[in-house]
Amino acid sequence: MARIIKEEEYNAKRNEILDFALSLIYSKGYVQMTIQDILNGLQISRGALYHYFDSKQAILEALVDCMVVNAEQLILPIVHDPNLSALEKFHCYFEASANWKNIQKDFVVSILRMWHVDENILIRHKLTSESLKRTPCIIEPIIHQGIAEAVFTTKFPKQVAEIIVGIALTLTDSIIELMFPSKFAQETYRELEIILAAYTEAIERILGASEGSLKIFEKTSFREWFD
């Protein structure tokens, strides 16, 4: 019983640190946030903090991991919904992901602003690898269903799931470049539409789906990030 209580106390304190770090990211941004900010805000010692996280990067990793887990909790019910077709699941999958990012918009934008600086190459690579490992397992069952429903013709569902996740990550990079230009232009919206159409077509071809069958990128959801 004592061990359970200690685990609960440990997790509660860890979550308190993460929640406060997240509030700092919202208020001042990740780059400006310091370990000392956390120590001052929670009135704890550096040694006490390092009992849970040994660095600022470790805090970021934990925050992003929580984001991934929360996103998966939104997406898994879609994957397992027996009333949705494979095409509907693909649409709902991307729609739920976009909606969730919109809800967490301030935090996500703060993360994106610092994501591509040279100092974060290592952690970016690590988290990208984690996404490439975990997300295809969620998409693959949808592809198998689509093959059974004769809307997808690919012979390689596992590999195609991995490729689609890779494409989605590349799309994120393309959108980041549009989000933080040296000078914003009205043509950015048009370029965004072209990028979304190109990525949709690429995914359709990889799956062997008919042209226009996938409705996975809602333009209005993406435009919110620029507005």
Side-chain angles (χ1 to χ4, degrees), residues 35-114:
I35 290 295
Q36 193 61 48
D37 288 331
I38 298 174
L39 301 182
N40 294 341
L42 295 177
Q43 296 184 334
I44 59 176
S45 67
R46 191 172 295 267
L49 175 65
Y50 286 168
H51 180 62
Y52 302 93
F53 303 102
D54 60 9
S55 67
K56 180 179 170 181
Q57 293 281 31
I59 294 174
L60 176 62
E61 285 191 60
L63 284 170
V64 175
D65 186 63
C66 288
M67 293 175 68
V68 172
V69 171
N70 290 337
E72 287 178 348
Q73 291 176 346
L74 288 176
I75 292 167
L76 285 174
I78 296 171
V79 177
H80 300 304
D81 190 334
N83 299 315
L84 295 177
S85 68
L87 292 176
E88 290 171 333
K89 286 182 179 180
F90 256 101
H91 173 77
C92 291
Y93 169 87
F94 283 95
E95 182 181 45
S97 178
N99 289 340
W100 180 83
K101 289 184 177 70
N102 284 333
I103 293 173
Q104 304 284 340
K105 185 175 179 180
D106 290 341
F107 176 51
V108 174
V109 169
S110 180
I111 293 295
L112 293 180
R113 284 187 181 277
M114 49 68 61

Side-chain angles (χ1 to χ4, degrees), residues 7-38:
E7 288 180 356
E8 290 178 349
E9 291 176 350
Y10 177 89
N11 291 332
K13 189 62 179 180
R14 185 176 185 274
N15 289 334
E16 181 185 2
I17 294 171
L18 290 176
D19 288 341
F20 187 73
L22 182 59
S23 71
L24 288 174
I25 292 175
Y26 275 124
S27 63
K28 63 191 305 182
Y30 175 79
V31 175
Q32 287 73 34
M33 180 188 75
T34 66
I35 290 295
Q36 193 61 48
D37 288 331
I38 298 174

Side-chain angles (χ1 to χ4, degrees), residues 174-188:
S174 298
I175 291 178
I176 288 173
E177 292 180 5
L178 289 179
M179 286 179 66
F180 306 120
S182 58
K183 183 179 181 180
F184 184 80
Q186 185 64 32
E187 290 75 16
T188 301

Side-chain angles (χ1 to χ4, degrees), residues 125-213:
H125 173 72
K126 182 177 180 180
L127 292 174
T128 296
S129 298
E130 188 68 16
S131 296
L132 288 171
K133 180 175 67 176
R134 294 171 62 166
T135 311
C137 298
I138 298 176
I139 295 178
E140 185 180 348
I142 304 178
I143 299 176
H144 281 288
Q145 180 181 341
I147 294 171
E149 293 172 354
V151 293
F152 302 151
T153 60
T154 179
K155 298 179 182 178
F156 311 103
K158 181 178 184 296
Q159 291 73 20
V160 164
E162 295 171 352
I163 293 171
I164 289 175
V165 173
I167 288 175
L169 291 172
T170 304
L171 172 61
T172 299
D173 290 337
S174 298
I175 291 178
I176 288 173
E177 292 180 5
L178 289 179
M179 286 179 66
F180 306 120
S182 58
K183 183 179 181 180
F184 184 80
Q186 185 64 32
E187 290 75 16
T188 301
Y189 290 132
R190 177 55 183 159
E191 189 173 349
L192 172 66
E193 293 178 350
I194 293 173
I195 289 174
L196 295 178
Y199 275 84
T200 300
E201 180 180 302
I203 294 174
E204 286 176 343
R205 292 191 177 189
I206 292 170
L207 288 169
S210 59
E211 183 178 355
S213 61

